Amino acid sequence: MRVLVAEDEPSLARQLTLTLRRAGYAVDHAADGERADLLGNDERYDAVVLDLGLPKIDGLTLLRRWREAGQSMPVLVLTARASWHEKVLGIDSGADDYMAKPFRMEELLARLRALIRRSSGQINPELRCGSLVLDPRTGKVTQEGAEVKLTGHEFRVLSYLMHHGRRLVSQTELTEHIYSQGFDRDSNTVEVFIARLRRKLGFSSIETVRGRGYRMNAS
């Protein structure tokens, strides 16, 4: 899963980026509204952490632009402004959730997980496909109760597929959601990660629909 962090305060931006990467996300960072606008329109994100006080283009303006352009990714707004009026403005501009600074990283991670889960149509905190269970809270994957060790990229591929259940996911879509911006994105490597996952989870765990993409197989 892939997240954009739009935050201009350097130490907080570093902390957010590091925390999210440790939690298994591919993360891009924008230090101002112009950069965030460019990334938000050109790249594909599963969620955005958006500071309202960005330079060049403020967060509220940016959020309105994205929603008017049809960008539907979940947005978690961060702000130092604690008034109810600012909260209403953020939500009415298209924010999905709201956190006032200072905040705890554990709460931010929990809110992000909930936003991503709801946006992909999942109800339960744990993702299940037959005997396969992925817990986004811990990053732990088990099959028939036994833990399965995955690399970072393997985990992102599996997490994205499991978030989207039986929906077909194209190779291009997977590539857009498992790498951060600027990474050498070779879509052929997705096939490598799928092959590795099948070796660890069983060949029938992931179905290939030739020419269209991949989906989880619960049978």
Side-chain angles (χ1 to χ4, degrees):
M1 311 298 279
R2 190 176 177 199
V3 176
L4 171 63
V5 172
E7 169 60 57
D8 65 314
E9 203 284 304
S11 63
L12 178 56
R14 284 193 299 271
Q15 188 180 7
L16 283 166
T17 300
L18 181 60
T19 298
L20 288 167
R21 285 178 177 162
R22 284 176 174 170
Y25 297 98
V27 184
D28 295 332
H29 170 240
D32 60 67
E34 286 185 357
R35 178 65 175 165
D37 194 25
L38 176 66
L39 289 174
N41 286 310
D42 290 351
E43 303 291 335
R44 297 293 174 264
Y45 294 102
D46 297 292
V48 177
V49 178
L50 176 65
D51 179 31
L52 290 188
L54 292 173
K56 298 188 179 179
I57 303 175
D58 69 88
L60 283 177
T61 299
L62 189 55
L63 188 51
R64 292 188 186 111
R65 285 186 184 181
W66 283 342
R67 295 316 191 210
E68 288 170 2
Q71 300 283 19
S72 61
M73 65 280 195
V75 175
L76 173 60
V77 162
L78 301 180
T79 182
R81 310 163 191 168
S83 74
W84 67 267
H85 179 66
E86 293 292 346
K87 294 180 182 179
V88 170
L89 276 178
I91 293 170
D92 281 347
S93 297
D96 298 277
D97 202 354
Y98 192 106
M99 292 187 71
K101 301 176 183 177
F103 55 86
R104 296 189 66 86
M105 287 292 171
E106 294 84 355
E107 181 181 356
L108 180 136
L109 286 172
R111 288 175 180 266
L112 269 184
R113 288 193 298 268
L115 289 180
I116 292 171
R117 184 173 68 245
R118 289 197 296 267
S119 71
S120 59
Q122 297 292 333
I123 299 174
N124 297 315
E126 289 184 335
L127 306 176
R128 294 179 176 271
C129 183
S131 64
L132 182 64
V133 180
L134 185 152
D135 190 341
R137 297 166 295 186
T138 62
K140 186 176 180 179
V141 176
T142 60
Q143 189 172 46
E144 297 181 350
E147 185 171 0
V148 181
K149 298 293 187 181
L150 301 179
T151 67
H153 282 107
E154 290 167 0
F155 180 84
R156 287 176 201 158
V157 170
L158 182 64
S159 177
Y160 194 80
L161 289 175
M162 291 188 71
H163 269 92
H164 294 276
R166 289 288 295 161
R167 181 175 75 81
L168 273 172
V169 177
S170 70
Q171 190 177 75
T172 299
E173 183 179 345
L174 269 175
T175 302
E176 289 175 338
H177 285 267
I178 65 171
Y179 295 119
S180 55
Q181 201 266 341
F183 196 93
D184 184 14
R185 302 182 208 173
D186 181 359
S187 62
N188 291 326
T189 60
V190 169
E191 296 180 0
V192 175
F193 298 138
I194 294 290
R196 290 178 182 173
L197 286 169
R198 283 175 172 151
R199 285 197 294 270
K200 294 180 179 182
L201 305 174
F203 184 81
S204 63
S205 59
I206 300 173
E207 179 184 356
T208 298
V209 178
R210 190 171 298 278
R212 296 181 61 193
Y214 307 98
R215 63 186 170 200
M216 297 303 299
N217 186 359
S219 59

